[in-house]
């Protein structure tokens, strides 16, 4: 016959406090039995598990984290996504569930919604690594005035945050870092003591432009930059300029055109370039989405790529590999960036006193048909 304590707990859902009292241990010990069983003596572990069985206790994520004051959740904060622009405020059309509509999509205009394929890859890597590390990944998207509120709300719900550099002001990231561990993706560490994960932006762009100059003999280049304030954009622009100055050429003080990393911005840049009296021989874009937009504009304007206009990008998204022509680009390990960010954050949670880390991943230059005519 169950004792009075067990009878009482049978009338309600047992808690971690009940288990601790029943087993005669602290709440911290109960938590360690579930999260780090190897750190608990076998006899104590068996006593706690016997109490769990006797009380019918099912550990929740919050209960497992009580001892360490952990939630078991890490956050990934992204800036606003391109696709929101096109769909914001649009009512969902459920239509007729029993009907199918045939749409002839031949010779029509291209879709202006490029999608956020860079973020897709980073998110995939983050999800995988969080799962492997025993954490749940919370993803937050902030846009405009909502970015601050979203980030602050996430900070109160997670053990640590991964933030894309430039998505929120640096001083706000610094304030958050005083409350919880923060890992910054993109850009080199600039005098802060935060963990950073980035790729070799400058080196990759320098190598790509060097190929255009040395191997293809290009001399008239235009550069389409991304959003101001983006560390990745600044490093890629530096790589472009370095490639020119290293060969005794004059590097421009400012980019020819600037977009916001979206495909539509690339189309606008492409139309602006096509409207000039003299077309450059090559257009170097700060990312693939804008490069694909330039190719769209060239196709609509009747300009042959690469015969009349070479176009290059940066990122290595699948859309560039599947485009016509296929896009020459600098491929960064986007999935590995997400994985490395989570790994770095987990190490920080495990060892809060460790020195700040700066993880920098290599890139690869892929030469494809947008700069190299297809073999006959």
């Amino acid at each position: 016959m169950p004792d009075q304590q067990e009878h009482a707990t049978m009338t309600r859902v047992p808690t971690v406090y009940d288990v601790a009292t029943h087993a005669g241990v602290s709440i911290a010990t109960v938590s360690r039995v579930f999260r780090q069983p190897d750190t608990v003596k076998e006899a104590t572990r068996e006593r706690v598990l016997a109490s769990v069985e006797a009380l019918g206790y099912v550990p929740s994520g919050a209960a497992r984290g009580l001892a360490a004051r952990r939630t078991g959740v890490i956050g990934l904060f992204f800036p606003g996504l391109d696709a929101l622009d096109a769909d914001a405020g649009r009512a969902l059309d459920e239509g007729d569930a029993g009907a199918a509509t045939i749409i002839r999509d031949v010779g029509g205009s291209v879709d202006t919604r490029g999608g956020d394929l860079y973020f897709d890859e980073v998110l995939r890597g983050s999800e995988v690594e969080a799962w492997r590390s025993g954490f749940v990944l919370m993803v937050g998207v902030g846009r405009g005035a909502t970015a601050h509120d979203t980030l602050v709300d996430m900070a109160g719900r997670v053990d640590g945050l991964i933030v894309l550099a430039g998505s929120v002001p640096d001083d706000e990231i610094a304030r958050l870092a005083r409350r919880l561990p923060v890992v910054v993706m993109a850009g080199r560490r600039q005098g802060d003591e935060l963990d950073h994960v980035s790729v070799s932006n400058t080196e990759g762009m320098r190598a790509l432009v060097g190929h255009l100059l040395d191997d293809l003999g290009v001399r008239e280049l235009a550069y389409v930059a991304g959003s101001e304030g983006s560390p990745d954009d600044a490093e890629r622009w530096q790589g472009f300029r370095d490639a020119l100055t290293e060969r005794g050429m004059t590097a421009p003080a400012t980019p020819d055109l600037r977009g916001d990393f979206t495909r539509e911005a690339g189309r606008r840049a492409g139309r602006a370039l096509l409207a000039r009296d003299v077309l450059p021989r090559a257009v170097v874009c700060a990312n693939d989405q804008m490069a694909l937009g330039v190719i769209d504009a060239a196709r609509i304007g009747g300009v042959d790529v690469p015969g009349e206009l070479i176009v290059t990008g940066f990122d290595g998204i699948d859309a560039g590999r599947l485009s016509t022509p296929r896009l020459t680009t600098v491929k960064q390990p986007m999935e590995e960036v997400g994985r490395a960010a989570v790994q770095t954050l987990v190490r920080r949670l495990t060892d809060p006193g460790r020195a700040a880390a700066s993880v920098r991943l290599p890139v690869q230059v892929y030469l494809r048909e947008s700069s190299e005519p297809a073999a006959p």
Side-chain angles (χ1 to χ4, degrees):
M1 183 174 180
D3 59 26
Q4 289 183 341
Q5 179 186 0
E6 289 176 302
H7 178 74
T9 58
M10 290 171 64
T11 64
R12 61 180 175 79
V13 176
T15 69
V16 67
Y17 297 97
D18 298 323
V19 174
T21 300
H22 190 277
V25 298
S26 68
I27 298 171
T29 299
V30 175
S31 180
R32 287 199 299 274
V33 166
F34 290 106
R35 294 184 65 88
Q36 298 174 305
D38 293 341
T39 65
V40 182
K41 293 181 179 180
E42 183 178 359
T44 303
R45 186 169 65 245
E46 290 179 353
R47 190 164 73 251
V48 170
L49 293 177
S51 295
V52 168
E53 180 69 21
L55 300 177
Y57 170 70
V58 177
S60 67
R64 287 194 301 269
L66 280 176
R69 296 184 180 179
R70 296 270 181 89
T71 64
V73 180
I74 56 178
L76 175 63
F77 180 81
F78 279 147
L81 304 181
D82 299 344
L84 292 179
D85 286 333
D87 292 335
R90 181 174 63 85
L92 296 178
D93 182 10
E94 296 182 7
D96 183 352
T101 303
I102 296 177
I103 300 174
R104 185 172 297 279
D105 189 21
V106 178
S109 61
V110 292
D111 188 352
T112 60
R113 294 174 296 172
D116 290 273
L117 305 180
Y118 166 82
F119 294 132
D120 292 345
E121 293 289 331
V122 173
L123 176 58
R124 181 179 298 112
S126 301
E127 288 174 329
V128 169
E129 198 58 39
W131 172 76
R132 290 181 58 179
S133 302
F135 284 85
V136 173
L137 184 70
M138 176 188 292
V139 180
V141 177
R143 192 171 189 80
T146 69
H148 170 79
D149 293 340
T150 300
L151 190 59
V152 171
D153 183 57
M154 287 184 68
R157 299 169 181 262
V158 299
D159 296 329
L161 269 173
I162 300 168
V163 180
L164 184 69
S167 60
V168 292
D170 291 344
D171 58 349
E172 187 163 349
I173 293 178
R175 282 195 298 272
L176 284 173
R178 290 196 288 269
R179 295 171 48 194
L180 78 170
V182 174
V183 172
V184 180
M185 289 190 300
R188 299 177 188 269
R189 189 165 61 234
Q190 301 292 336
D192 60 49
E193 290 303 318
L194 301 179
D195 295 316
H196 283 252
V197 174
S198 59
V199 302
S200 300
N201 288 296
T202 303
E203 297 81 357
M205 185 63 81
R206 183 192 297 129
L208 172 61
V209 176
H211 165 73
L212 299 179
L213 298 172
D214 298 341
D215 301 330
L216 301 185
V218 175
R219 286 298 177 269
E220 301 81 24
L221 300 91
Y223 190 86
V224 180
S227 305
E228 287 194 79
S230 163
D232 281 345
D233 180 74
E235 291 187 356
R236 293 169 194 177
W237 169 237
Q238 185 61 51
F240 176 85
R241 299 183 77 252
D242 287 349
L244 296 173
T245 57
E246 287 168 1
R247 289 160 178 80
M249 301 172 63
T250 301
T254 59
D256 294 79
L257 296 162
R258 184 175 291 279
D260 58 4
F261 290 125
T262 65
R263 190 161 182 165
E264 181 54 34
R267 293 190 185 103
R268 291 194 297 268
R271 290 192 293 269
L273 290 170
L274 266 58
R276 292 182 176 180
D277 293 335
V278 179
L279 191 68
R281 182 66 187 95
V283 180
V284 178
C285 298
N287 79 329
D288 287 351
Q289 291 280 60
M290 292 194 299
L292 292 172
V294 171
I295 291 177
D296 292 340
R299 180 175 61 249
I300 294 170
V303 173
D304 179 68
V305 177
E308 298 175 82
L309 182 67
I310 289 171
V311 181
T312 68
F314 199 115
D315 279 339
I317 62 176
D318 276 348
R321 182 174 57 85
L322 302 173
S323 64
T324 303
R326 297 191 308 151
L327 181 64
T328 288
T329 188
V330 179
K331 182 175 176 59
Q332 61 165 309
M334 294 168 285
E335 185 171 330
E336 284 74 10
V337 168
R339 293 188 59 192
V342 171
Q343 288 175 358
T344 302
L345 183 55
V346 171
R347 284 196 292 267
R348 174 63 57 195
L349 290 168
T350 304
D351 182 9
R354 68 193 301 267
S358 184
V359 179
R360 200 156 181 86
L361 302 176
V363 297
Q364 298 172 308
V365 178
Y366 276 73
L367 306 179
R368 299 191 180 119
E369 288 79 9
S370 72
S371 68
E372 306 272 340

